[in-house]
Amino acid sequence: MEIMGRGFRQIIQESPLYFQIFLKFAGYKLFNKRSPLYGSADIINVCNLHCEHCYWWLNRKENEELTVEQWKKIIDEKFKKQHVFIVTLVGGEPMMRPEVVELFVKEFPKRACVVTNGTYPIPNLNDIYFYWISIDGTEKIHNNIRGDGTWAKTRKNVLDYVEKNGERGWKDIWITMTINSQNYMTVKQVIEEWYDYSNKIGFQFHTPFMKGDPLWLPFGEKRSKVIDDIITMQENGYKDYIINPKSQLEIMKKNWGGKETTPIDCPTWAILSVDHMGREKRPCCIGSAEKTSMKPRCEECGLGCYSVLIGYGMKG
């Protein structure tokens, strides 16, 4: 039996960490004390793709990047000091800095996951928690968003990893799909295409940075039907595959995050997010450390990492 990809023995080994999480939940519920549960790190300021929907390019600036030694300091002084349980590595494209990925995996064994576009070969790291592989629809739509040939390259790398590493490799692959106005009709096909080669799939919705973003799938009948269809599939054959709790999916039918670019109910405090220079990002993990940078529109937010916490009763 596994819980969120973690076996019984691993859960026992991590019991001191769960105690820390319990203390944080108790502190929040009893005293409204807010301490981050998770971490997020933009470990690189470069990406090999220029995806149509990606927030990262909106605020990208030319900066130096941290060395492995500097990232070790960030790990010790920010993430470990605040006892975060799981750290998600993002970018840019994290696999362009494999040495930093290896550092985080070493420092957070079975507690570091990597969000990657999958166009680089996937390394076999014994202590990786899992790889989030970004898939944006069927081959044609994925390529329209991410670039010609990207779907096939990602598909090959995933299949190679699974075939070389057997059951363990299959468990390491989790699919993440950001639903938008271009790909919302392909959710079922994505599930069917990747089910045999991945352990889990998680859904979120595109979050705009400006009014009128054509990729945003507005609240209403169309969006609600997509969510209802996911819930139906979850209840009929994909219960252990679709990772989103029903409470989270229902929340994403409407505004749950805030007003304009200001978070209100969103528990942004629960994720300690740093950019490629180790600076804390505001207001959330897709925000920026630069005060003048563009901000996500909280009232139209579709992020899975925060909405799931709302579903569990945590608010900002």
Side-chain angles (χ1 to χ4, degrees):
M1 184 187 74
E2 288 191 353
I3 300 174
M4 295 293 287
R6 315 182 91 75
F8 179 75
R9 180 181 296 179
Q10 186 176 341
I11 291 172
I12 293 299
Q13 291 173 342
E14 294 175 341
S15 55
L17 300 171
Y18 295 118
F19 180 68
Q20 286 287 344
I21 291 178
F22 171 77
L23 290 179
K24 291 188 178 192
F25 270 110
Y28 169 73
K29 291 293 186 181
L30 297 176
F31 308 109
N32 200 30
K33 182 180 178 181
R34 301 173 181 184
S35 178
L37 304 171
Y38 308 109
S40 171
D42 298 0
I43 65 170
I44 186 172
N45 196 36
V46 178
C47 188
N48 61 321
L49 302 181
H50 197 145
C51 304
E52 186 174 345
H53 68 302
C54 186
Y55 70 90
W56 176 76
W57 285 100
L58 296 174
N59 288 327
R60 182 179 185 272
K61 290 181 172 62
E62 296 292 342
N63 289 112
E64 295 179 2
E65 291 174 346
L66 300 183
T67 64
V68 170
E69 292 73 22
Q70 289 171 319
W71 273 116
K72 177 65 169 67
K73 187 176 180 181
I74 295 296
I75 288 171
D76 291 339
E77 296 182 355
K78 291 187 180 290
F79 296 127
K80 287 190 175 182
K81 186 176 181 179
Q82 299 204 48
H83 302 286
V84 301
F85 181 51
I86 290 171
V87 178
T88 301
L89 307 184
V90 290
E93 171 49 47
M95 295 318 304
M96 295 177 72
R97 292 211 65 186
E99 75 283 5
V100 179
V101 172
E102 290 173 9
L103 171 69
F104 271 88
V105 171
K106 178 183 176 182
E107 296 294 325
F108 295 93
K110 302 297 183 182
R111 294 187 291 126
C113 51
V114 180
V115 180
T116 173
N117 58 40
T119 58
Y120 285 86
I122 303 169
N124 180 4
L125 303 174
N126 287 332
D127 286 327
I128 190 78
Y129 183 10
F130 61 85
Y131 293 100
W132 274 122
I133 309 295
S134 299
I135 300 296
D136 288 320
T138 51
E139 183 172 6
K140 181 179 178 181
I141 293 177
H142 181 94
N143 288 345
N144 286 343
I145 293 173
R146 292 185 174 261
D148 291 343
T150 53
W151 188 93
K153 188 177 290 186
T154 298
R155 181 81 169 185
K156 180 183 184 304
N157 287 333
V158 168
L159 266 60
D160 285 349
Y161 184 83
V162 172
E163 289 171 3
K164 290 176 182 176
N165 297 290
E167 183 179 359
R168 181 187 163 275
W170 167 80
K171 288 182 178 180
D172 290 347
I173 302 297
W174 295 26
I175 302 299
T176 175
M177 181 178 180
T178 298
I179 300 171
N180 58 47
S181 62
Q182 289 188 20
N183 67 11
Y184 70 92
M185 73 295 290
T186 69
V187 169
K188 186 173 185 293
Q189 295 100 303
V190 169
I191 289 175
E192 293 171 345
E193 288 176 348
W194 292 94
Y195 178 75
D196 290 336
Y197 307 104
S198 54
N199 189 4
K200 308 287 182 185
I201 189 169
F203 297 100
Q204 61 179 3
F205 285 83
H206 174 68
T207 300
F209 276 64
M210 61 193 76
K211 268 189 174 182
D213 184 339
L215 280 175
W216 185 60
L217 187 65
F219 301 122
E221 184 178 346
K222 193 178 294 184
R223 184 181 179 120
S224 293
K225 185 180 185 308
V226 172
I227 293 171
D228 288 338
D229 287 347
I230 293 173
I231 293 172
T232 298
M233 286 185 283
Q234 191 174 46
E235 294 172 345
N236 294 277
Y238 294 106
K239 179 181 179 182
D240 294 328
Y241 185 56
I242 299 173
I243 199 172
N244 305 77
K246 183 178 179 180
S247 59
Q248 176 196 22
L249 292 168
E250 292 287 357
I251 281 169
M252 290 197 286
K253 290 180 177 179
K254 59 186 183 300
N255 173 16
W256 54 268
K259 182 174 177 57
E260 296 184 349
T261 59
T262 302
I264 298 175
D265 285 338
C266 182
T268 56
W269 55 268
I271 302 177
L272 173 59
S273 303
V274 300
D275 69 4
H276 65 287
M277 297 299 290
R279 302 171 300 183
E280 293 189 29
K281 300 167 71 175
R282 297 286 187 269
C284 66
C285 65
I286 64 170
S288 174
E290 302 279 351
K291 292 183 178 180
T292 57
S293 293
M294 295 181 68
K295 296 180 180 179
R297 290 186 55 77
C298 299
E299 66 181 39
E300 295 165 350
C301 183
L303 287 175
C305 52
Y306 296 104
S307 56
V308 69
L309 297 173
I310 290 274
Y312 289 140
M314 304 185 73
K315 294 187 177 182

